[in-house]
Amino acid sequence: MTEDPFVAHRSLLFTVAYEMLGSAADAEDVVQESWLRWAGVERSGVHDPRAYLVRVVTRQTLNRLRTLSRSREDYVGEWLPEPLLTSPDVAEDVELAESVSIAMLTVLETLGPVERAVFVLREVFEVPYGEIAEATDRSAAAVRQIAHRAREHVAARRPRVRVSGAEQQAVVERFMDALRTGRMQELMEVMAPDVVLIADGGGLAPAALAPIHGAGRVAKVLERVNRVAPASEVTTVWLNGAPAGRVESDGEAATVSLVVEHGRVTRIYVVRNPQKLTRLDEPSELVR
């Protein structure tokens, strides 16, 4: 039997929805909703199942984005994307790994729903403008303008320097080792002077409610955490296509994702919200 196109493209559809939503749980819901719609379609009239399914997922995702934008306004503290355990293989596709990084997904949160959909479909998945226009109910000309604005917006906010995988891993391991052993001086040395720490507890776990700026202030926060929970288990894992950290303490987990530029950490993203840490034991398959 020929494999159902939905099954064949399921990982792609999940990746599309996740990049637009920043939430694996919501992405799974979108994929399920899209499956229900696909199940009722007359297949003989679908000439390009992949394009058709991406279009369905895009429309469902836009509906969900508009709903989520209201609920996120009431979110307690900083909102960060849901981290996903991935295999090192994801990093081999450099563009995919960059697009699903916590840093990039955080930048995409600053786009409007349609801008985000257009950017993801065009820049990450290279969907033709005509197909994006059909999926977003816009003209092809309008989609081109939206894509241009979105690219400029993202370019102004994304990490300025692209580092090699080896450099990223070396800095992450040095940072996590210093955190594990409580060597605050080494932490200070590996962080850029203007480093920023952003934490997401969602009101369900202790976390700073606003970004913390500066190596000195960030080091004090990390030192305090280390003092309160000295028995924490700190390991290096692959999250969203990049080396990152996982911290376990008294049955509670947290993830630490880092942005590295010029050999130093410039951004630290800490997720403590337990509702966002349910996918740390089984790798998610992200593809394009």
Side-chain angles (χ1 to χ4, degrees):
M1 291 180 63
T2 302
E3 187 176 24
D4 187 297
F6 189 94
V7 176
H9 297 302
R10 194 185 192 288
S11 294
L12 165 69
L13 301 177
F14 173 81
T15 306
V16 170
Y18 173 68
E19 289 207 33
M20 291 186 194
L21 292 162
S23 163
D26 288 312
E28 287 286 9
D29 287 345
V30 163
V31 171
Q32 183 61 30
E33 291 164 3
S34 299
W35 159 249
L36 294 175
R37 292 179 180 274
W38 172 250
V41 168
E42 176 53 55
R43 311 292 170 83
S44 62
V46 179
H47 303 296
D48 186 343
R50 182 183 186 275
Y52 182 90
L53 288 167
V54 168
R55 188 160 64 245
V56 171
V57 164
T58 299
R59 288 174 174 166
Q60 295 300 311
T61 301
L62 282 171
N63 291 337
R64 186 158 292 244
L65 270 172
R66 295 182 181 107
T67 301
L68 290 174
S69 63
R70 291 190 291 272
S71 64
R72 288 179 186 175
E73 290 177 0
D74 301 324
Y75 196 79
V76 178
E78 296 291 315
W79 190 96
L80 289 176
E82 181 179 349
L84 297 181
L85 185 70
T86 55
S87 71
D89 295 345
V90 173
E92 295 177 4
D93 185 337
V94 176
E95 291 184 354
L96 174 63
E98 182 182 18
S99 73
V100 298
S101 69
I102 295 296
M104 176 59 80
L105 293 175
T106 302
V107 170
L108 294 183
E109 279 296 309
T110 62
L111 292 172
V114 174
E115 286 180 314
R116 184 167 185 170
V118 169
F119 180 87
V120 168
L121 292 176
R122 183 61 189 169
E123 298 302 310
V124 182
F125 297 97
E126 300 177 341
V127 176
Y129 286 113
E131 291 182 19
I132 300 175
E134 191 172 352
T136 58
D137 295 323
R138 301 290 193 283
S139 68
V143 166
R144 288 178 183 275
Q145 291 180 338
I146 293 170
H148 178 70
R149 290 198 306 269
R151 277 194 297 270
E152 288 188 334
H153 181 97
V154 171
R157 292 162 176 79
R158 74 199 312 171
R160 298 178 295 276
V161 179
R162 177 179 285 182
V163 300
S164 68
E167 181 182 357
Q168 173 85 13
Q169 184 154 7
V171 174
V172 169
E173 288 181 350
R174 183 182 173 195
F175 180 94
M176 299 310 298
D177 187 57
L179 186 63
R180 181 188 303 111
T181 56
R183 297 198 301 271
M184 292 302 116
Q185 183 57 41
E186 187 167 342
L187 269 178
M188 286 287 292
E189 292 172 359
V190 78
M191 291 189 295
D194 59 349
V195 65
V196 179
L197 183 150
I198 302 173
D200 178 346
L204 302 175
L209 297 178
I212 299 170
H213 296 261
R217 294 184 64 195
V218 170
K220 287 181 180 178
V221 170
L222 295 176
E223 183 178 25
R224 186 161 60 247
V225 171
N226 188 273
R227 191 166 57 245
V228 172
S232 297
E233 180 182 353
V234 180
T235 55
T236 301
V237 295
W238 283 83
L239 298 177
N240 294 65
R246 175 173 177 169
V247 181
E248 297 275 354
S249 179
D250 294 329
E252 296 182 355
T255 60
V256 182
S257 299
L258 307 175
V259 174
V260 175
E261 299 179 63
H262 301 298
R264 286 189 164 188
V265 176
T266 58
R267 289 287 185 276
I268 304 170
Y269 299 103
V270 178
V271 178
R272 300 203 65 202
N273 184 340
Q275 295 179 346
K276 297 184 178 183
L277 300 174
T278 62
R279 292 172 176 261
L280 299 182
D281 297 317
E282 186 69 27
S284 296
E285 187 176 358
L286 300 176
V287 300
R288 63 176 184 140

